[in-house]
Amino acid sequence: MMGKQRQPVLVTGGAGYIGSHAVIALNDAGWPVAVLDDLSTGSRFAVAEGIPFYEGDIADAALLAKIFAEQGIGNGTGGIMHFAGSIIVPESVEDPLKYYRNNTSKSAALAEIAVKAKVPHFIFSSTAAVYGIPETLPISEKSRCSPINPYGWTKLMTEQMLRDVSAAHALNFCALRYFNVAGADPQLRSGQSTPGATHLIKVAVEAALGKRAQVSVFGTEFDTPDGTGVRDYIHVADLADAHVLALEALIAKPERSLTMNCGYGRGFSVLEVLDAVDKVTNCRLDRKIEGPRAGDPDLLVSDPSLLCANLPWKPRHDDLHAIIEHAFQWERKLKEIRGD
């Protein structure tokens, strides 16, 4: 993309796991980028020195006006990549109002501020949780959306809100539905840093470094080859690349909005992942077999063909061992950063 077409971008939640990798991808590609994060779960060290950083709330209209003015966003130029929100599924069941407030109400407020400022492009961090229990596999964007938890509903409601907003105003959007995101920046500039994270690969590499005593395996009687759940894992750096390409696509065709899956289209079982972690870390993890969690489907595997058809996306890290290696090396670095 020509330099003159690289418009300024505000990344909300840019100090968090996926948001910080999007900032890296944008910065590496020469996009002017700024970060807004309230640091409730993000880490200030995840945002490189020299990148404009604003601490605050995505629904703070005065703060957004200040950012837009200072960064040259609005009046028909620039975009927002929106990652800020709450992401823990069990917590969404226990405290649904927190999720509807953080994920839906504040996203609506952000969209309203963007429309008033005439921000033309909006990338939204969505999730495969909008599908609920899939009726067919692999899961395509034509699959029925029927979330089974408040987290999934908050994301689906925000998607619908963006569709309605884009139909009424000069704002196009792209909603990217993530499957299981894992790994870390290969140069170890960022990674999964959230304390108490529940993602399998993060948990497993923590266990390999002695930060956890064992890894729980939730259910061994799924309808899969080894009885454990199968998931589609995507490297966070490949996912970040998809966001940059999606922004380019929105700029190239302002009349078009997109909703697309982000995955590799193949899955690995819990036991396959743990075996791979054993191999990469040269450490035999202690596995604790527990009962299945409510609502866990047997398989969650994406059909990423729409993403590949609309974007020139070529994954660079589509390898389970590479994903685990990067996650493991980041976990080692994180121990040094935090001194734990």
Side-chain angles (χ1 to χ4, degrees), residues 67 77 89 93 96 136 168 197 203 205 242 272 293 296 317 320 338:
I67 295 171
T77 189
V89 170
V93 176
T136 58
V203 169
V205 295
E272 286 176 323
R293 294 173 295 195
D296 261 359
H317 309 289
L320 180 62
R338 290 180 169 161

Side-chain angles (χ1 to χ4, degrees), residues 105-128:
S105 297
K106 289 190 178 183
S107 292
L110 177 64
E112 183 175 7
I113 294 166
V115 166
K116 288 180 178 177
K118 298 182 180 178
V119 179
H121 311 297
F122 197 105
I123 307 284
F124 176 55
S125 168
S126 193
T127 171

Side-chain angles (χ1 to χ4, degrees), residues 265-286:
R266 60 191 177 91
F268 294 94
S269 74
V270 172
L271 293 183
E272 286 176 323
V273 169
L274 296 182
D275 288 345
V277 173
D278 285 349
K279 184 175 181 180
V280 168
T281 64
N282 194 30
C283 173
R284 173 67 182 179
L285 300 177
D286 183 15

Side-chain angles (χ1 to χ4, degrees), residues 4 8 19 39 76 82 100 162 172 184 190 208 212 226 235 258 262 264 331:
K4 65 179 182 180
L39 296 181
H82 178 35
Y100 285 106
L162 288 171
N172 66 345
S190 188
R212 295 178 187 250
D226 66 17
H235 194 293
L258 298 163
C262 288
Y264 291 145
E331 202 62 40

Side-chain angles (χ1 to χ4, degrees), residues 29 34 61 105 110 127 136 140 157 171 174 179 190 195 197 209 283 286 302 315 319 323 339-340:
S105 297
L110 177 64
T127 171
T136 58
S140 78
M157 291 171 71
L171 178 145
C174 178
F179 281 68
S190 188
L209 288 171
C283 173
D286 183 15
S302 73
D319 178 84
I323 292 172
D340 54 13

Side-chain angles (χ1 to χ4, degrees), residues 5-23:
Q5 293 177 286
R6 289 194 175 100
Q7 302 181 19
V9 183
L10 174 64
V11 179
T12 73
Y17 176 38
I18 302 173
S20 65
H21 287 82
V23 172

Side-chain angles (χ1 to χ4, degrees), residues 116-270:
K116 288 180 178 177
K118 298 182 180 178
V119 179
H121 311 297
F122 197 105
I123 307 284
F124 176 55
S125 168
S126 193
T127 171
V130 300
Y131 296 113
I133 306 295
E135 297 174 341
T136 58
L137 290 168
I139 302 169
S140 78
E141 294 79 2
K142 294 180 180 178
S143 299
R144 184 170 68 95
C145 290
S146 183
I148 59 171
N149 52 61
Y151 169 67
W153 277 112
T154 64
K155 292 291 190 174
L156 186 60
M157 291 171 71
T158 303
E159 284 190 16
Q160 183 60 52
M161 180 265 295
L162 288 171
R163 288 189 195 96
D164 294 338
V165 169
S166 68
H169 301 282
L171 178 145
N172 66 345
F173 77 95
C174 178
L176 294 173
R177 294 172 174 171
Y178 312 158
F179 281 68
N180 285 50
V181 187
D185 171 55
Q187 297 180 42
L188 302 184
R189 292 170 290 181
S190 188
Q192 171 60 280
S193 306
T194 309
T198 58
H199 300 295
L200 177 62
I201 290 176
K202 168 74 171 177
V203 169
V205 295
E206 285 183 339
L209 288 171
K211 295 176 72 173
R212 295 178 187 250
Q214 57 198 9
V215 179
S216 294
V217 177
F218 295 102
T220 56
E221 296 184 359
F222 290 106
D223 186 14
T224 62
D226 66 17
T228 62
V230 170
R231 299 294 181 265
D232 188 341
Y233 294 89
I234 180 172
H235 194 293
V236 66
D238 283 340
L239 180 62
D241 288 343
H243 285 74
V244 178
L245 294 171
L247 179 58
E248 292 181 358
L250 294 186
I251 293 171
K253 292 186 177 181
E255 73 284 357
R256 176 179 68 169
S257 291
L258 298 163
T259 299
M260 301 180 294
N261 289 336
C262 288
Y264 291 145
R266 60 191 177 91
F268 294 94
S269 74
V270 172

